[in-house]
Amino acid sequence: MVYILLAPGFEEAEALVPADLLRRANIETALVSIQGDTVTGSHGITVTADALLEKIDLSKAEMIVLPGGGTGVKNLGAEPAVERLVRQAADQNIWVAAICAAPTLLGRWGLLEGRKAICYPGLEEQLTGAQVQTAPGEIKDGKIITGRAAGSAFDFGAELIEALLDRAAADKVLEAICY
């Protein structure tokens, strides 16, 4: 199961594009709200969550994904249960992925120490402990995947599929959508 955590103000493309691609690859994926059944993103798109944060069963998790969006990341970072969940996932060698501003949370929580990582341009100083990269799309280092921004949402989603299945599965999904 892949859990994509949503907080008010999340960047819609960074959550929904990867969710769509993961589901096309037949990877069980849940949109998880940190509060309430619906969550409104940074561009006014409201989505209905599949689950609430307090209902996540980490024993079923293959990956935790944190989408960006300035307000969304601020709201994710203000919720202690999110930090606990992400730390537990990392401790249990479960994939953790973050895109745009969200990798800064991984830096704040000490999960990027000595790892290659990227984030939204201009926020690099918040990737505490990371070996900051300038790749255009995504970086995988160990069980941590970081992505640049909304423009790389398709590449980020494909990287998540590759991590959980393989590159052929990711390419098959990208080909099916004419990417």
Side-chain angles (χ1 to χ4, degrees), residues 42 62 71 83 101 106 155 174:
S42 61
E62 294 178 86
T71 302
E83 181 179 353
L106 304 183
D155 293 329
L174 292 176

Side-chain angles (χ1 to χ4, degrees), residues 55-78:
K55 301 291 184 182
I56 286 182
D57 182 355
L58 197 56
S59 71
K60 295 180 180 177
E62 294 178 86
M63 181 181 286
I64 305 292
V65 179
L66 305 175
T71 302
V73 169
K74 181 180 174 185
N75 289 328
L76 284 174

Side-chain angles (χ1 to χ4, degrees), residues 13 43 62 64-65 76-77 110 127-128 136 148 154 159 166 175:
H43 299 96
E62 294 178 86
I64 305 292
V65 179
L76 284 174
L127 295 178
T128 307
R148 170 76 67 206
F154 283 91
E159 185 69 25
D166 56 34
E175 183 179 321

Side-chain angles (χ1 to χ4, degrees), residues 1-160:
M1 170 70 79
V2 175
Y3 294 113
I4 300 177
L5 307 186
L6 304 181
F10 73 95
E11 171 55 56
E12 293 93 340
E14 296 165 2
L16 301 179
V17 168
D20 178 273
L21 297 178
L22 288 161
R23 288 178 179 183
R24 287 173 189 262
N26 296 312
I27 297 170
E28 192 174 6
T29 303
L31 298 172
V32 179
S33 172
I34 68 165
Q35 60 183 29
D37 293 333
T38 62
V39 188
T40 301
S42 61
H43 299 96
I45 299 171
T46 300
V47 299
T48 301
D50 300 309
L52 297 175
L53 182 64
E54 62 265 16
K55 301 291 184 182
I56 286 182
D57 182 355
L58 197 56
S59 71
K60 295 180 180 177
E62 294 178 86
M63 181 181 286
I64 305 292
V65 179
L66 305 175
T71 302
V73 169
K74 181 180 174 185
N75 289 328
L76 284 174
E79 177 55 58
V82 170
E83 181 179 353
R84 278 193 304 274
L85 178 74
V86 172
R87 285 181 179 281
Q88 287 175 338
D91 289 345
Q92 294 177 29
N93 208 30
I94 294 168
W95 286 98
V96 174
I99 185 170
C100 196
T104 64
L105 294 176
L106 304 183
R108 183 186 338 159
W109 299 334
L111 300 176
L112 296 179
E113 195 63 43
R115 295 181 186 271
K116 294 176 184 172
I118 59 174
C119 66
Y120 188 80
L123 300 179
E124 292 88 356
E125 71 280 353
Q126 295 179 50
L127 295 178
T128 307
Q131 298 172 18
V132 177
Q133 306 294 299
T134 58
E138 71 290 326
I139 296 287
K140 179 171 43 179
D141 191 338
K143 289 276 196 146
I144 303 281
I145 300 171
T146 54
R148 170 76 67 206
S152 59
F154 283 91
D155 293 329
F156 181 73
E159 185 69 25
L160 304 183

